Amino acid sequence: QVQLVESGGGLVRTGGSLKLACAAAGRTFANYMVAWFRQAPGKEREFVAGVVGSHDDTYYADAVKGRFTISREKAKTTVYLQMSSLNPEDTAVYYCGVRDVRFWGGWDSAIRRTSYDAWGQGTQVTVSS
């Protein structure tokens, strides 16, 4: 099972930016769809952004569209989430998840937490007002 490590979380003021990173230990993401989810206290884990395929097709939740950008480095060893114009509603633990691309079933499936086979430990993002 692929092991994921997230990093880059922290405390930032409203309007600020952070860049999260998700690395797969000992392998690349070439054969995986990768997504970022987040979970705020007392809430369900929700989809934020995903990337899949050789052309790096991307998809975003409405709440972050235009503010967040998911990208995959050329060697496909790390997936990033660049977050800008942050607000307190973005405060959550952010997780990256992966699923074998052979089981790709479209974005309707990819936005569901249950579609993913492995998760990282999460990284805390706190946005102060």
Side-chain angles (χ1 to χ4, degrees):
Q1 188 175 6
V2 63
Q3 291 185 321
L4 304 173
V5 179
E6 300 104 332
S7 61
L11 173 64
V12 65
R13 291 194 175 187
T14 295
S17 299
L18 280 175
K19 187 173 185 177
L20 307 183
C22 174
R27 63 178 70 189
T28 74
F29 288 120
N31 298 318
Y32 294 92
M33 53 185 266
V34 185
W36 286 95
F37 280 67
R38 65 186 181 186
Q39 188 165 16
K43 293 190 176 181
E44 296 283 325
R45 190 173 297 189
E46 63 175 5
F47 175 85
V48 174
V51 60
V52 67
S54 58
H55 298 292
D56 284 354
D57 293 333
T58 59
Y59 188 78
Y60 297 91
D62 287 343
V64 306
K65 205 173 290 184
R67 300 189 297 123
F68 291 11
T69 302
I70 189 170
S71 62
R72 191 156 50 176
E73 65 161 2
K74 206 168 184 180
K76 298 193 188 299
T77 57
T78 306
V79 170
Y80 300 99
L81 185 69
Q82 175 67 54
M83 306 186 296
S84 303
S85 301
L86 286 162
N87 58 66
E89 289 70 40
D90 296 315
T91 295
V93 178
Y94 283 70
Y95 300 88
C96 65
V98 296
R99 183 170 188 179
D100 191 315
V101 72
R102 291 174 296 177
F103 303 112
W104 168 250
W107 289 113
D108 283 348
S109 172
I111 63 174
R112 299 191 196 116
R113 174 179 56 84
T114 53
S115 294
Y116 294 82
D117 304 317
W119 296 93
Q121 81 290 351
T123 185
Q124 177 70 48
V125 171
T126 303
V127 184
S128 64
S129 56

